Amino acid sequence: MKKSLKAVERRVAVQLVVSHACSLPLCVRLRYEPADPYVVRAAFFVDCDEPVEWVLGRDLLADGLEGSAGHADVRIWSAAGRGDESIYIALASSAGTALLKVPVQDISSFLEDTEALVPRGTESGLIDWDAELAHLLPHG
């Protein structure tokens, strides 16, 4: 049995971009759990009882800090260095699309905390491969 590591969690104030002239404040809770080491869960708190949750690749977030990353449902790019210290996250689903503007420093420091817990490239050592295979193989 692998030792249990604590999770990294951070609440981040973001802007939901409605148009060039209008955006709305939104709270997002980012959560990283070593038991699921490749992903970051982003819970968006909107006008409902339950948050809307998206699962984002940790590497995708890190790559978005450096340039443009992702395709299809999730795209991330940085505007840092162009007078805007933000990272943009575009999310698309059958319900619609959302463009979020997030301070680069918030994403950067969150990722630094996750990498202090689980360095990039070491994630596979935390996965219980026997349990994963048991879910895939027929029981009989």
Side-chain angles (χ1 to χ4, degrees):
M1 175 152 176
K2 307 218 184 279
K3 73 175 187 171
S4 174
L5 299 171
K6 65 180 181 169
V8 175
E9 189 170 292
R10 174 107 18 100
R11 289 191 183 267
V12 177
V14 305
Q15 294 293 316
L16 174 62
V17 178
V18 179
S19 70
H20 285 294
C22 180
S23 63
L24 302 170
L26 189 64
C27 181
V28 177
R29 182 188 66 223
L30 299 174
R31 184 168 176 83
Y32 177 79
E33 297 183 34
D36 199 358
Y38 290 103
V39 303
V40 171
R41 297 185 185 284
F44 298 90
F45 294 88
V46 292
D47 294 334
C48 60
D49 293 334
E50 293 295 319
V52 175
E53 186 175 89
W54 279 73
V55 178
L56 308 172
R58 180 170 74 156
D59 284 345
L60 181 67
L61 278 175
D63 292 347
L65 286 174
E66 303 300 320
S68 183
H71 62 302
D73 294 349
V74 180
R75 291 178 294 122
I76 301 172
W77 64 95
S78 175
R82 288 177 266 180
D84 183 355
E85 294 301 312
S86 300
I87 188 169
Y88 289 86
I89 302 174
L91 304 173
S93 74
S94 59
T97 61
L99 178 60
L100 305 166
K101 180 179 178 180
V102 186
V104 167
Q105 185 55 44
D106 290 345
I107 296 295
S108 181
S109 66
F110 173 77
L111 288 173
E112 286 172 9
D113 290 349
T114 70
E115 290 175 24
L117 192 61
V118 179
R120 284 176 77 184
T122 67
E123 296 93 345
S124 65
L126 295 173
I127 295 175
D128 183 344
W129 293 108
D130 291 334
E132 294 298 322
L133 284 173
H135 289 330
L136 297 174
L137 299 175
H139 301 284

